[in-house]
Amino acid sequence: MFEPNEVLQVLTGRGHVSAEGVEAVRVRYRVVVERREGIVVASGTLTGSHASLMPIWLIPDSTLRLKNGRRIDISITDLVGDIAEFESTGLFSPT
């Protein structure tokens, strides 16, 4: 039986995104945590400097550090101007 996506929480704030070999970038984030087909995933947007986000966009694996210190493994999927879209790449626990 198909179950629709269930939004578990939405996280917003200021944090940092980093990738190996690239300096960390300060960003504002909006993370939507949802259950899709029985697994918990995160996706959302990052707002920061286009020039600073570009090198991270070119690297497939990066890490978003939230304001509470929590880390989410992500991949930036699109970058338009100063706004990047991302999806989580690892297991995600909403707590």
mmCIF file of all heavy atoms in Angstrom, residues 27-64:
data_model
loop_
_atom_site.group_PDB
_atom_site.id
_atom_site.type_symbol
_atom_site.label_atom_id
_atom_site.label_comp_id
_atom_site.label_asym_id
_atom_site.label_seq_id
_atom_site.Cartn_x
_atom_site.Cartn_y
_atom_site.Cartn_z
ATOM 1 N N VAL A 27 25.887 29.609 6.148
ATOM 2 C CA VAL A 27 24.633 29.571 5.397
ATOM 3 C C VAL A 27 23.446 29.736 6.332
ATOM 4 O O VAL A 27 23.549 29.521 7.535
ATOM 5 C CB VAL A 27 24.473 28.234 4.627
ATOM 6 C CG1 VAL A 27 25.506 28.096 3.535
ATOM 7 C CG2 VAL A 27 24.511 27.044 5.565
ATOM 8 N N ARG A 28 22.343 30.107 5.740
ATOM 9 C CA ARG A 28 21.042 29.963 6.393
ATOM 10 C C ARG A 28 20.447 28.716 5.791
ATOM 11 O O ARG A 28 20.562 28.477 4.583
ATOM 12 C CB ARG A 28 20.144 31.152 6.098
ATOM 13 C CG ARG A 28 20.569 32.390 6.815
ATOM 14 C CD ARG A 28 19.567 33.487 6.586
ATOM 15 N NE ARG A 28 20.039 34.668 7.294
ATOM 16 C CZ ARG A 28 19.346 35.768 7.390
ATOM 17 N NH1 ARG A 28 18.180 35.878 6.795
ATOM 18 N NH2 ARG A 28 19.815 36.792 8.060
ATOM 19 N N TYR A 29 19.823 27.892 6.614
ATOM 20 C CA TYR A 29 19.278 26.638 6.098
ATOM 21 C C TYR A 29 17.794 26.492 6.426
ATOM 22 O O TYR A 29 17.280 27.070 7.385
ATOM 23 C CB TYR A 29 20.054 25.433 6.642
ATOM 24 C CG TYR A 29 20.034 25.316 8.156
ATOM 25 C CD1 TYR A 29 18.952 24.753 8.826
ATOM 26 C CD2 TYR A 29 21.097 25.790 8.912
ATOM 27 C CE1 TYR A 29 18.938 24.660 10.205
ATOM 28 C CE2 TYR A 29 21.092 25.704 10.288
ATOM 29 C CZ TYR A 29 20.006 25.131 10.928
ATOM 30 O OH TYR A 29 19.991 25.047 12.298
ATOM 31 N N ARG A 30 17.145 25.718 5.591
ATOM 32 C CA ARG A 30 15.771 25.253 5.822
ATOM 33 C C ARG A 30 15.799 23.778 5.478
ATOM 34 O O ARG A 30 16.017 23.407 4.328
ATOM 35 C CB ARG A 30 14.765 25.977 4.947
ATOM 36 C CG ARG A 30 13.326 25.529 5.205
ATOM 37 C CD ARG A 30 12.321 26.332 4.383
ATOM 38 N NE ARG A 30 10.971 26.034 4.772
ATOM 39 C CZ ARG A 30 10.253 25.011 4.293
ATOM 40 N NH1 ARG A 30 10.780 24.195 3.416
ATOM 41 N NH2 ARG A 30 9.027 24.805 4.711
ATOM 42 N N VAL A 31 15.635 22.937 6.496
ATOM 43 C CA VAL A 31 15.708 21.493 6.337
ATOM 44 C C VAL A 31 14.316 20.906 6.588
ATOM 45 O O VAL A 31 13.725 21.144 7.641
ATOM 46 C CB VAL A 31 16.713 20.861 7.335
ATOM 47 C CG1 VAL A 31 16.766 19.350 7.162
ATOM 48 C CG2 VAL A 31 18.083 21.491 7.192
ATOM 49 N N VAL A 32 13.817 20.157 5.618
ATOM 50 C CA VAL A 32 12.537 19.463 5.766
ATOM 51 C C VAL A 32 12.859 17.993 6.013
ATOM 52 O O VAL A 32 13.488 17.339 5.184
ATOM 53 C CB VAL A 32 11.656 19.618 4.509
ATOM 54 C CG1 VAL A 32 10.359 18.838 4.673
ATOM 55 C CG2 VAL A 32 11.377 21.079 4.231
ATOM 56 N N VAL A 33 12.453 17.492 7.169
ATOM 57 C CA VAL A 33 12.663 16.093 7.529
ATOM 58 C C VAL A 33 11.343 15.371 7.294
ATOM 59 O O VAL A 33 10.308 15.771 7.829
ATOM 60 C CB VAL A 33 13.087 15.952 9.007
ATOM 61 C CG1 VAL A 33 13.316 14.501 9.365
ATOM 62 C CG2 VAL A 33 14.315 16.807 9.289
ATOM 63 N N GLU A 34 11.396 14.325 6.463
ATOM 64 C CA GLU A 34 10.164 13.616 6.148
ATOM 65 C C GLU A 34 10.403 12.117 6.024
ATOM 66 O O GLU A 34 11.527 11.674 5.833
ATOM 67 C CB GLU A 34 9.527 14.156 4.877
ATOM 68 C CG GLU A 34 10.368 14.044 3.644
ATOM 69 C CD GLU A 34 9.731 14.744 2.448
ATOM 70 O OE1 GLU A 34 8.511 14.711 2.288
ATOM 71 O OE2 GLU A 34 10.495 15.325 1.665
ATOM 72 N N ARG A 35 9.318 11.386 6.158
ATOM 73 C CA ARG A 35 9.349 9.948 5.983
ATOM 74 C C ARG A 35 8.883 9.662 4.558
ATOM 75 O O ARG A 35 7.809 10.070 4.151
ATOM 76 C CB ARG A 35 8.428 9.248 6.978
ATOM 77 C CG ARG A 35 8.524 7.744 6.945
ATOM 78 C CD ARG A 35 7.600 7.069 7.967
ATOM 79 N NE ARG A 35 7.467 7.775 9.236
ATOM 80 C CZ ARG A 35 8.317 7.714 10.265
ATOM 81 N NH1 ARG A 35 9.394 6.983 10.158
ATOM 82 N NH2 ARG A 35 8.101 8.382 11.365
ATOM 83 N N ARG A 36 9.751 8.998 3.780
ATOM 84 C CA ARG A 36 9.417 8.611 2.409
ATOM 85 C C ARG A 36 9.586 7.114 2.285
ATOM 86 O O ARG A 36 10.671 6.592 2.499
ATOM 87 C CB ARG A 36 10.355 9.275 1.397
ATOM 88 C CG ARG A 36 10.215 10.751 1.256
ATOM 89 C CD ARG A 36 11.130 11.235 0.143
ATOM 90 N NE ARG A 36 11.344 12.666 0.241
ATOM 91 C CZ ARG A 36 12.335 13.293 -0.369
ATOM 92 N NH1 ARG A 36 13.201 12.635 -1.109
ATOM 93 N NH2 ARG A 36 12.467 14.593 -0.236
ATOM 94 N N GLU A 37 8.524 6.449 1.934
ATOM 95 C CA GLU A 37 8.557 5.000 1.731
ATOM 96 C C GLU A 37 9.203 4.284 2.906
ATOM 97 O O GLU A 37 10.021 3.380 2.737
ATOM 98 C CB GLU A 37 9.258 4.675 0.423
ATOM 99 C CG GLU A 37 8.558 5.279 -0.781
ATOM 100 C CD GLU A 37 9.297 5.028 -2.084
ATOM 101 O OE1 GLU A 37 10.276 4.254 -2.101
ATOM 102 O OE2 GLU A 37 8.876 5.614 -3.082
ATOM 103 N N GLY A 38 8.898 4.725 4.109
ATOM 104 C CA GLY A 38 9.351 4.063 5.315
ATOM 105 C C GLY A 38 10.713 4.478 5.837
ATOM 106 O O GLY A 38 11.120 4.020 6.897
ATOM 107 N N ILE A 39 11.446 5.343 5.138
ATOM 108 C CA ILE A 39 12.729 5.818 5.652
ATOM 109 C C ILE A 39 12.664 7.317 5.888
ATOM 110 O O ILE A 39 11.879 8.017 5.258
ATOM 111 C CB ILE A 39 13.905 5.464 4.715
ATOM 112 C CG1 ILE A 39 13.740 6.121 3.343
ATOM 113 C CG2 ILE A 39 14.080 3.965 4.582
ATOM 114 C CD1 ILE A 39 14.959 5.992 2.473
ATOM 115 N N VAL A 40 13.498 7.811 6.790
ATOM 116 C CA VAL A 40 13.520 9.235 7.114
ATOM 117 C C VAL A 40 14.638 9.893 6.312
ATOM 118 O O VAL A 40 15.783 9.439 6.335
ATOM 119 C CB VAL A 40 13.729 9.453 8.626
ATOM 120 C CG1 VAL A 40 13.832 10.933 8.945
ATOM 121 C CG2 VAL A 40 12.588 8.819 9.408
ATOM 122 N N VAL A 41 14.287 10.934 5.583
ATOM 123 C CA VAL A 41 15.245 11.678 4.764
ATOM 124 C C VAL A 41 15.118 13.170 5.050
ATOM 125 O O VAL A 41 14.111 13.621 5.589
ATOM 126 C CB VAL A 41 15.038 11.419 3.252
ATOM 127 C CG1 VAL A 41 15.285 9.965 2.919
ATOM 128 C CG2 VAL A 41 13.662 11.840 2.809
ATOM 129 N N ALA A 42 16.136 13.904 4.669
ATOM 130 C CA ALA A 42 16.116 15.358 4.831
ATOM 131 C C ALA A 42 16.460 15.993 3.493
ATOM 132 O O ALA A 42 17.263 15.471 2.724
ATOM 133 C CB ALA A 42 17.128 15.789 5.894
ATOM 134 N N SER A 43 15.838 17.120 3.220
ATOM 135 C CA SER A 43 16.145 17.903 2.031
ATOM 136 C C SER A 43 15.841 19.353 2.369
ATOM 137 O O SER A 43 15.224 19.645 3.389
ATOM 138 C CB SER A 43 15.322 17.436 0.828
ATOM 139 O OG SER A 43 13.943 17.605 1.091
ATOM 140 N N GLY A 44 16.280 20.259 1.506
ATOM 141 C CA GLY A 44 15.983 21.647 1.793
ATOM 142 C C GLY A 44 16.822 22.602 0.992
ATOM 143 O O GLY A 44 17.332 22.254 -0.073
ATOM 144 N N THR A 45 16.973 23.806 1.553
ATOM 145 C CA THR A 45 17.715 24.859 0.871
ATOM 146 C C THR A 45 18.764 25.460 1.792
ATOM 147 O O THR A 45 18.611 25.480 3.016
ATOM 148 C CB THR A 45 16.780 25.986 0.384
ATOM 149 O OG1 THR A 45 16.051 26.500 1.492
ATOM 150 C CG2 THR A 45 15.822 25.483 -0.683
ATOM 151 N N LEU A 46 19.816 25.959 1.158
ATOM 152 C CA LEU A 46 20.875 26.701 1.825
ATOM 153 C C LEU A 46 20.962 28.056 1.150
ATOM 154 O O LEU A 46 20.914 28.135 -0.076
ATOM 155 C CB LEU A 46 22.223 25.994 1.659
ATOM 156 C CG LEU A 46 22.308 24.543 2.089
ATOM 157 C CD1 LEU A 46 23.652 23.961 1.669
ATOM 158 C CD2 LEU A 46 22.113 24.433 3.590
ATOM 159 N N THR A 47 21.099 29.107 1.919
ATOM 160 C CA THR A 47 21.283 30.436 1.359
ATOM 161 C C THR A 47 22.626 30.966 1.844
ATOM 162 O O THR A 47 22.891 30.995 3.040
ATOM 163 C CB THR A 47 20.153 31.389 1.800
ATOM 164 O OG1 THR A 47 18.893 30.827 1.420
ATOM 165 C CG2 THR A 47 20.309 32.752 1.156
ATOM 166 N N GLY A 48 23.468 31.328 0.884
ATOM 167 C CA GLY A 48 24.802 31.840 1.206
ATOM 168 C C GLY A 48 25.376 32.501 -0.033
ATOM 169 O O GLY A 48 24.683 32.703 -1.031
ATOM 170 N N SER A 49 26.636 32.782 0.007
ATOM 171 C CA SER A 49 27.310 33.407 -1.124
ATOM 172 C C SER A 49 27.467 32.409 -2.269
ATOM 173 O O SER A 49 27.977 31.305 -2.075
ATOM 174 C CB SER A 49 28.687 33.897 -0.679
ATOM 175 O OG SER A 49 29.523 34.114 -1.784
ATOM 176 N N HIS A 50 27.023 32.809 -3.462
ATOM 177 C CA HIS A 50 27.141 31.935 -4.641
ATOM 178 C C HIS A 50 28.598 31.523 -4.866
ATOM 179 O O HIS A 50 28.890 30.346 -5.096
ATOM 180 C CB HIS A 50 26.606 32.644 -5.890
ATOM 181 C CG HIS A 50 26.731 31.828 -7.140
ATOM 182 N ND1 HIS A 50 25.797 30.878 -7.487
ATOM 183 C CD2 HIS A 50 27.687 31.802 -8.101
ATOM 184 C CE1 HIS A 50 26.171 30.308 -8.621
ATOM 185 N NE2 HIS A 50 27.317 30.857 -9.010
ATOM 186 N N ALA A 51 29.512 32.480 -4.783
ATOM 187 C CA ALA A 51 30.930 32.193 -5.015
ATOM 188 C C ALA A 51 31.473 31.188 -3.999
ATOM 189 O O ALA A 51 32.306 30.345 -4.342
ATOM 190 C CB ALA A 51 31.742 33.482 -4.972
ATOM 191 N N SER A 52 31.008 31.240 -2.767
ATOM 192 C CA SER A 52 31.464 30.311 -1.735
ATOM 193 C C SER A 52 30.807 28.940 -1.857
ATOM 194 O O SER A 52 31.429 27.919 -1.564
ATOM 195 C CB SER A 52 31.176 30.888 -0.343
ATOM 196 O OG SER A 52 31.891 32.083 -0.152
ATOM 197 N N LEU A 53 29.542 28.911 -2.279
ATOM 198 C CA LEU A 53 28.833 27.635 -2.410
ATOM 199 C C LEU A 53 29.243 26.854 -3.659
ATOM 200 O O LEU A 53 29.152 25.628 -3.681
ATOM 201 C CB LEU A 53 27.319 27.873 -2.424
ATOM 202 C CG LEU A 53 26.696 28.259 -1.100
ATOM 203 C CD1 LEU A 53 25.249 28.712 -1.294
ATOM 204 C CD2 LEU A 53 26.751 27.092 -0.118
ATOM 205 N N MET A 54 29.707 27.539 -4.694
ATOM 206 C CA MET A 54 30.053 26.886 -5.957
ATOM 207 C C MET A 54 31.049 25.737 -5.786
ATOM 208 O O MET A 54 30.816 24.638 -6.285
ATOM 209 C CB MET A 54 30.572 27.912 -6.964
ATOM 210 C CG MET A 54 31.013 27.302 -8.281
ATOM 211 S SD MET A 54 29.678 26.531 -9.206
ATOM 212 C CE MET A 54 29.016 27.967 -10.000
ATOM 213 N N PRO A 55 32.175 25.912 -5.075
ATOM 214 C CA PRO A 55 33.114 24.791 -4.927
ATOM 215 C C PRO A 55 32.502 23.595 -4.195
ATOM 216 O O PRO A 55 32.824 22.452 -4.492
ATOM 217 C CB PRO A 55 34.274 25.382 -4.124
ATOM 218 C CG PRO A 55 34.151 26.851 -4.266
ATOM 219 C CD PRO A 55 32.696 27.133 -4.476
ATOM 220 N N ILE A 56 31.619 23.861 -3.244
ATOM 221 C CA ILE A 56 30.976 22.769 -2.508
ATOM 222 C C ILE A 56 29.971 22.051 -3.399
ATOM 223 O O ILE A 56 29.836 20.831 -3.339
ATOM 224 C CB ILE A 56 30.318 23.304 -1.210
ATOM 225 C CG1 ILE A 56 31.430 23.796 -0.270
ATOM 226 C CG2 ILE A 56 29.479 22.231 -0.530
ATOM 227 C CD1 ILE A 56 30.949 24.479 0.959
ATOM 228 N N TRP A 57 29.287 22.783 -4.256
ATOM 229 C CA TRP A 57 28.323 22.190 -5.187
ATOM 230 C C TRP A 57 29.022 21.204 -6.122
ATOM 231 O O TRP A 57 28.465 20.182 -6.509
ATOM 232 C CB TRP A 57 27.632 23.293 -5.977
ATOM 233 C CG TRP A 57 26.645 22.833 -6.988
ATOM 234 C CD1 TRP A 57 25.669 21.896 -6.818
ATOM 235 C CD2 TRP A 57 26.509 23.308 -8.333
ATOM 236 N NE1 TRP A 57 24.939 21.763 -7.969
ATOM 237 C CE2 TRP A 57 25.431 22.623 -8.918
ATOM 238 C CE3 TRP A 57 27.190 24.254 -9.084
ATOM 239 C CZ2 TRP A 57 25.023 22.847 -10.223
ATOM 240 C CZ3 TRP A 57 26.775 24.492 -10.380
ATOM 241 C CH2 TRP A 57 25.707 23.789 -10.939
ATOM 242 N N LEU A 58 30.256 21.487 -6.478
ATOM 243 C CA LEU A 58 31.002 20.640 -7.407
ATOM 244 C C LEU A 58 31.515 19.349 -6.770
ATOM 245 O O LEU A 58 31.961 18.454 -7.469
ATOM 246 C CB LEU A 58 32.177 21.432 -8.002
ATOM 247 C CG LEU A 58 31.770 22.659 -8.820
ATOM 248 C CD1 LEU A 58 33.004 23.455 -9.212
ATOM 249 C CD2 LEU A 58 30.950 22.267 -10.040
ATOM 250 N N ILE A 59 31.454 19.251 -5.440
ATOM 251 C CA ILE A 59 31.890 18.048 -4.717
ATOM 252 C C ILE A 59 30.639 17.286 -4.278
ATOM 253 O O ILE A 59 29.761 17.868 -3.642
ATOM 254 C CB ILE A 59 32.752 18.441 -3.501
ATOM 255 C CG1 ILE A 59 33.994 19.198 -3.973
ATOM 256 C CG2 ILE A 59 33.143 17.214 -2.687
ATOM 257 C CD1 ILE A 59 34.831 19.769 -2.872
ATOM 258 N N PRO A 60 30.542 15.998 -4.603
ATOM 259 C CA PRO A 60 29.293 15.276 -4.336
ATOM 260 C C PRO A 60 28.918 15.111 -2.857
ATOM 261 O O PRO A 60 27.743 15.041 -2.532
ATOM 262 C CB PRO A 60 29.498 13.915 -4.990
ATOM 263 C CG PRO A 60 30.921 13.823 -5.341
ATOM 264 C CD PRO A 60 31.519 15.185 -5.286
ATOM 265 N N ASP A 61 29.897 15.044 -1.960
ATOM 266 C CA ASP A 61 29.599 14.809 -0.545
ATOM 267 C C ASP A 61 30.015 16.001 0.302
ATOM 268 O O ASP A 61 31.163 16.443 0.240
ATOM 269 C CB ASP A 61 30.336 13.563 -0.044
ATOM 270 C CG ASP A 61 29.908 12.308 -0.785
ATOM 271 O OD1 ASP A 61 28.705 12.142 -0.998
ATOM 272 O OD2 ASP A 61 30.792 11.509 -1.157
ATOM 273 N N SER A 62 29.079 16.493 1.091
ATOM 274 C CA SER A 62 29.379 17.590 2.003
ATOM 275 C C SER A 62 28.613 17.389 3.302
ATOM 276 O O SER A 62 27.820 16.459 3.436
ATOM 277 C CB SER A 62 29.057 18.941 1.361
ATOM 278 O OG SER A 62 27.742 18.973 0.893
ATOM 279 N N THR A 63 28.857 18.269 4.247
ATOM 280 C CA THR A 63 28.235 18.164 5.567
ATOM 281 C C THR A 63 27.638 19.507 5.959
ATOM 282 O O THR A 63 28.302 20.540 5.861
ATOM 283 C CB THR A 63 29.271 17.747 6.626
ATOM 284 O OG1 THR A 63 29.852 16.502 6.245
ATOM 285 C CG2 THR A 63 28.630 17.595 7.993
ATOM 286 N N LEU A 64 26.394 19.466 6.416
ATOM 287 C CA LEU A 64 25.726 20.654 6.943
ATOM 288 C C LEU A 64 25.759 20.559 8.458
ATOM 289 O O LEU A 64 25.316 19.565 9.033
ATOM 290 C CB LEU A 64 24.276 20.724 6.442
ATOM 291 C CG LEU A 64 23.399 21.802 7.068
ATOM 292 C CD1 LEU A 64 23.954 23.198 6.791
ATOM 293 C CD2 LEU A 64 21.966 21.672 6.565
#
